[in-house]
Each structure stands twice: as structure tokens, then as C-alpha cells.
Amino acid sequence: MPDVSGAGRNETVEERADRQWQELIQEIRVAQTGVQILFGFLLTVAFTPVFHGLAQTDKTIYIVTVVLGSLATGALIGPVAFHRIVSGRRIKPEAVAWAARLTFTGLVLLLATCTAALFLVLRVATHNALAPWLVGGVLAWYLLCWFALPLWARIRYTAEY
């Protein structure tokens, strides 16, 4: 039986869940690739000769960054494990909702990882008080691209619903 919810599509709850799952998986593929490359790179830093000469503050920033990267990786891979465990249980709409929450959490953690990694690199590379300001500018850019513009579009173009 078709579900008429004002979404502009004539699809059942199951069809909508299937479509949303496919869309979500495509989004996750992009984010997973980025977080896995960043996390992999971060894991190698501790084994370089330069790392041992870093100030304790920089080592602490590094540890926080690695933990954030690990958490982001877990959250962005989580939907795959979630789907695999609940597959065939006829709860796809619920699985999509939980996977979307994990994905959003992963994006927030990826934002924190990117910001912390940039802060560490700029601190080490420049030894300059300008580093936090540059990172703040990049963080503002991330927030604009990842959250503010999509939220603006959501409000602007879905106000009639």
C-alpha cells in the first residue's frame, strides 16, 4: 500500500527505507574514505623521528586527534555493521534512522578530527600565534559547508511542509 506523506513520491515505507539506505551508503562512502585516510596517516605520526621531539602539549593534541579519528572511523563504519546485524529482520526504516544518527555523529567527529589535526600541523609547522586563528577560519568554513548551508537550504526550501 503506497504511503502518501507529502514527500512527493509514491512509495511504500519499505521502498522509502530502501532508497534512503542507498542514499546514505553513498554518503558514507565519501566520508569513510576521508576519515580512513586521515586516521591511517595519523597512526603513522607517532613512529616518525620528529614526533619524539615534540613538546608535551603537541603530543597531547596528537593523542586527542588520534582518539577523535578513531571515534569518527567507528561511527562512520558503524552503519555497515548495524545493517549487517539487523539485515533480514524487517526493521529497515529503524536501521536507516540509526545509521543516519551514526553517520551524523561520525561527521561531527570527523570535523573535530580535521580541526585538531590542522591545529597540530600548524602549531608544529609555524610555531606562530596565528595558527589558532587560521584553524578557527577553517573550522568556520567547515561549519558553513557541512551544516549551515544544508540547514539553510532545508529551512528555505521545505518551509511549506
Side-chain angles (χ1 to χ4, degrees):
M1 154 189 289
D3 176 31
V4 183
S5 64
R9 295 181 186 255
N10 188 20
E11 55 190 4
T12 66
V13 171
E14 292 81 15
E15 290 169 336
R16 180 177 300 119
D18 287 341
R19 176 181 52 80
Q20 289 174 332
W21 180 259
Q22 290 305 315
E23 292 171 357
L24 185 61
I25 287 300
Q26 293 295 19
E27 295 165 6
I28 291 170
R29 283 185 179 129
V30 172
Q32 274 181 345
T33 301
V35 76
Q36 287 172 332
I37 290 169
L38 178 57
F39 184 53
F41 170 76
L42 286 170
L43 291 176
T44 66
V45 171
F47 300 102
T48 64
V50 174
F51 179 79
H52 300 290
L54 290 178
Q56 187 55 49
T57 301
D58 293 330
K59 288 180 180 178
T60 301
I61 294 168
Y62 169 76
I63 290 166
V64 168
T65 304
V66 168
V67 170
L68 287 168
S70 179
L71 294 171
T73 300
L76 290 169
I77 293 175
V80 176
F82 194 99
H83 182 264
R84 184 56 23 225
I85 290 170
V86 303
S87 182
R89 301 293 178 174
R90 299 178 190 245
I91 59 168
K92 184 160 271 175
E94 293 82 0
V96 168
W98 279 105
R101 289 180 191 115
L102 282 169
T103 302
F104 186 80
T105 301
L107 290 175
V108 171
L109 290 165
L110 178 57
L111 171 71
T113 305
C114 290
T115 303
L118 180 62
F119 182 57
L120 177 61
V121 168
L122 290 178
R123 272 183 55 94
V124 171
T126 66
H127 304 288
N128 190 322
L130 188 59
W133 293 101
L134 291 170
V135 173
V138 172
L139 174 60
W141 177 250
Y142 285 161
L143 291 171
L144 177 70
C145 294
W146 294 9
F147 301 107
L149 287 175
L151 286 171
W152 172 82
R154 180 178 176 167
I155 292 165
R156 169 73 170 87
Y157 297 111
T158 62
E160 65 273 5
Y161 291 115

